[in-house]
Amino acid sequence: MVCKWDESYPLRNVQVECTQRMGVTESLWRKWLLSMTALLMTQDGTLLDAILLWKSSLDRHFEGVECCPICYSLVHITSHTLPNLACKTCKNKFHSACMYKWIKVSHKNDCPLCKTPFN
């Protein structure tokens, strides 16, 4: 997230831009940007208020999401997605790219944790 303000701030509005979004849909990201911009422009919010609003939105979005047991990451480094493939037996969720690589390297279509067939 990048916040830019003009030399004539507070006479001009702060511009809030986000160049990379990971693990969040485009529409949800735009909604968060709009709420931050509205807070700064119409509700006399401070820059700190806007950043805290953004952080609380992120915290609520990722609450309860577990890391992928293959790569130990919440957001996949190349696809920027959350773990979405769930094992029907152990209920662990994996990134689709991690699971694809696991199946390709191990030559087995089994869950990496519980070893049951992964459909």
Side-chain angles (χ1 to χ4, degrees):
M1 177 176 66
V2 177
C3 298
K4 297 178 185 178
W5 53 92
D6 197 64
E7 293 174 359
S8 59
Y9 177 79
L11 298 175
R12 295 217 174 179
N13 295 325
V14 175
Q15 295 177 343
V16 181
E17 299 173 4
C18 293
T19 55
Q20 290 184 341
R21 58 172 182 77
M22 294 186 211
V24 180
T25 63
E26 181 74 27
S27 61
L28 186 57
W29 200 257
R30 273 194 245 136
K31 179 182 171 186
W32 292 348
L33 278 176
L34 182 62
S35 65
M36 288 171 47
T37 305
L39 177 70
L40 291 169
M41 292 172 51
T42 62
Q43 299 172 7
D44 281 338
T46 65
L47 191 55
L48 178 61
D49 292 334
I51 292 170
L52 291 175
L53 175 66
W54 175 73
K55 184 189 178 312
S56 70
S57 298
L58 277 174
D59 289 344
R60 273 186 273 123
H61 179 71
F62 290 117
E63 185 178 315
V65 178
E66 305 244 347
C67 293
C68 172
I70 297 173
C71 69
Y72 300 108
S73 176
L74 183 63
V75 178
H76 192 268
I77 195 159
T78 55
S79 66
H80 308 298
T81 58
L82 297 175
N84 57 355
L85 293 177
C87 174
K88 293 180 181 176
T89 305
C90 67
K91 307 294 186 222
N92 284 296
K93 290 188 175 182
F94 307 92
H95 296 117
S96 55
C98 292
M99 198 62 200
Y100 174 77
K101 187 173 182 178
W102 172 264
I103 291 170
K104 187 177 177 183
V105 170
S106 69
H107 304 290
K108 298 177 184 173
N109 195 20
D110 296 342
C111 173
L113 300 177
C114 70
K115 306 297 183 201
T116 58
F118 202 89
N119 296 14

